C-alpha cells in the first residue's frame, strides 16, 4: 500500500509518552526489575505504588535513562530510547529533597536551573525563560519566597522548589518519586494543587507514592509493584474499599493480576523517610 495515494487519515493518536515492554534491570547481577510492561498514554496520571524495595524508584530511573535496561524495549514519545533526544519534554523530581541541603541558592536560582535545557549555553535568560520560571513558582505557591535561600525553607517547601525546578522546563512527561514522603499535609495539598494545574494543561504524570492522600482524586490509574514485577495495573480503588479487600485477601505473589486489591493500601511498614 502506497502512503502517497492513501486518503487523508484522521490524525493519528499521539504516541504514548512511555512504552516499556519486557523491561529488565539487574544491579550487581541481581534481578531488580523482571519483565515490566508499562505503557502510559498522553495526559494520564499514573500512581506507581508498592512496598519499599519493590522496584518503584528503579523503574522510574530506568524510564528516565538513569539506570540502564538489561532487557526489554523502551520508547519515549514513540522514539526508541537510544534515539531519544528531546529531554526537555521530560521532567523528573527524584526521591527525597536532600539535594538542596546546604546549598546557598535562592529559590529563584534553583527553579531557574530547571530551565537550562531550553537555553543556549551561556546566553542570558530570555523573556520566555523568565515567564516559565515565574509560572512554575506561582504553580507551587512559592512566588513570594523567590528570593529567599532554599536552606531557610521547610522540607515541604524545598520539595516544592524542586518540583518548580522541573516545572520550569515545561515538561510534557513528569516523573515524581515520592514527592509527599515526609511532607506535611498543607504542603501535600499545595502539591496536589500544583499537579492538578499541570494535569489540566495536558501533562502526563507518573508519580511514586506510598499513600496518595490529597493526590488521590487526581489519579487515573494505579500500577502496583511487588518484588520487581507489576502485580496490579488498573483503576484506583477508594481507600475504604482497599482496606476492606486488603483485610480479606492477601494479594497473589506472581504475574499480572487485574483485580488484585492492593491499590492504594498503606504499604507503610518499613518506610524509609
Ligand atoms: P522502591 O523505590 O520501590 O523502594 P527501589 O527501586 O529503590 O525500590 O529498590 C528495589 C530493589 O533494588 C531493592 O531491593 C533495593 O535494595 C535494590 N536496589 C536499588 N538500588 C540499588 C543499588 N544502587 N544498589 C543495590 N541495590 C539496589
Ligand atoms: Mg523508592
Amino acid at each position: 500500500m502506497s502512503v502517497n495515494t492513501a486518503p487523508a487519515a484522521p490524525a493519528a493518536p499521539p504516541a504514548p509518552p512511555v512504552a516499556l515492554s519486557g523491561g529488565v534491570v539487574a544491579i550487581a547481577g541481581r534481578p531488580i526489575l523482571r519483565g515490566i510492561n508499562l505503557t502510559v498514554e498522553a495526559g494520564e496520571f499514573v500512581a506507581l505504588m508498592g512496598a519499599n524495595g519493590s522496584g518503584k524508584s528503579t523503574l522510574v530511573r530506568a524510564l528516565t535513562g538513569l539506570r540502564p535496561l538489561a532487557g526489554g524495549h523502551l520508547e519515549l514519545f514513540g522514539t526508541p530510547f537510544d534515539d531519544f533526544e528531546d529531554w526537555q519534554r521530560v521532567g523528573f523530581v527524584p526521591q527525597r529533597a536532600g539535594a538542596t541541603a546546604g546549598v546557598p541558592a535562592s529559590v529563584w536560582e534553583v527553579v531557574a536551573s530547571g530551565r537550562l535545557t531550553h537555553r543556549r549555553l551561556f546566553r542570558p535568560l530570555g523573556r520566555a525563560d523568565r515567564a516559565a520560571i515565574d509560572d512554575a513558582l506561582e504553580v507551587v505557591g512559592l512566588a513570594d519566597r523567590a528570593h529567599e535561600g532554599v536552606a531557610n525553607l521547610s522540607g515541604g517547601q524545598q520539595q516544592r522548589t524542586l518540583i518548580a525546578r522541573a516545572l520550569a522546563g515545561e515538561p510534557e512527561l513528569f516523573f515524581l518519586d515520592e514527592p509527599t514522603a515526609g511532607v506535611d499535609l498543607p504542603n501535600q495539598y499545595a502539591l496536589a494543587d500544583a499537579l492538578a494545574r499541570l494535569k489540566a494543561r495536558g501533562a502526563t504524570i507518573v508519580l511514586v507514592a506510598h499513600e496518595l492522600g490529597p493526590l488521590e482524586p487526581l489519579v487515573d490509574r494505579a500500577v502496583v509493584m511487588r518484588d520487581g514485577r507489576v502485580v496490579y495495573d488498573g483503576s484506583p480503588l477508594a481507600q475504604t474499599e482497599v482496606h476492606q479487600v486488603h483485610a480479606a485477601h492477601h494479594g497473589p505473589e506472581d504475574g499480572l493480576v487485574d483485580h488484585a486489591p492492593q491499590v492504594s493500601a498503606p504499604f507503610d511498614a518499613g518506610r524509609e523517610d
Side-chain angles (χ1 to χ4, degrees), residues 220-238:
D220 299 313
R221 175 177 159 205
V223 171
V224 181
M225 297 186 66
R226 183 184 301 153
D227 196 20
R229 300 175 199 270
V230 172
V231 292
Y232 176 89
D233 184 344
S235 50
L237 299 178

Side-chain angles (χ1 to χ4, degrees), residues 83-220:
D83 300 327
F84 186 76
E85 290 176 343
D86 245 356
W87 286 105
Q88 67 186 38
R89 298 175 80 178
V90 182
F92 174 43
V93 179
Q95 186 166 359
R96 208 53 203 127
T100 58
V103 178
S106 74
V107 170
W108 192 90
E109 285 171 320
V110 170
V111 174
S113 72
R115 195 66 195 168
L116 291 179
T117 55
H118 286 258
R119 290 171 52 204
R120 282 202 260 146
L121 214 52
F122 305 127
R123 291 293 174 87
L125 291 171
R127 198 184 301 166
D129 297 313
R130 290 178 180 278
I133 293 162
D134 289 348
D135 191 42
L137 285 164
E138 190 70 42
V139 162
V140 301
L142 288 175
D144 58 336
R145 314 292 298 266
H147 299 291
E148 279 186 44
V150 249
N152 298 334
L153 304 184
S154 72
Q157 289 166 334
Q158 289 186 359
Q159 182 80 326
R160 273 153 60 197
T161 303
L162 291 182
I163 289 162
R165 178 184 189 276
L167 283 178
E170 300 181 300
E172 292 164 60
L173 170 61
F174 200 16
F175 295 96
L176 300 100
D177 195 349
E178 304 227 26
T180 53
V183 169
D184 62 21
L185 204 55
N187 272 296
Q188 290 190 30
Y189 275 102
L191 172 66
D193 209 42
L195 292 178
R197 293 170 71 166
L198 196 62
K199 181 178 176 174
R201 293 180 190 173
T204 306
I205 299 168
V206 177
L207 179 140
V208 176
H210 273 274
E211 282 179 90
L212 295 173
L215 303 174
E216 194 179 324
L218 299 172
V219 174
D220 299 313

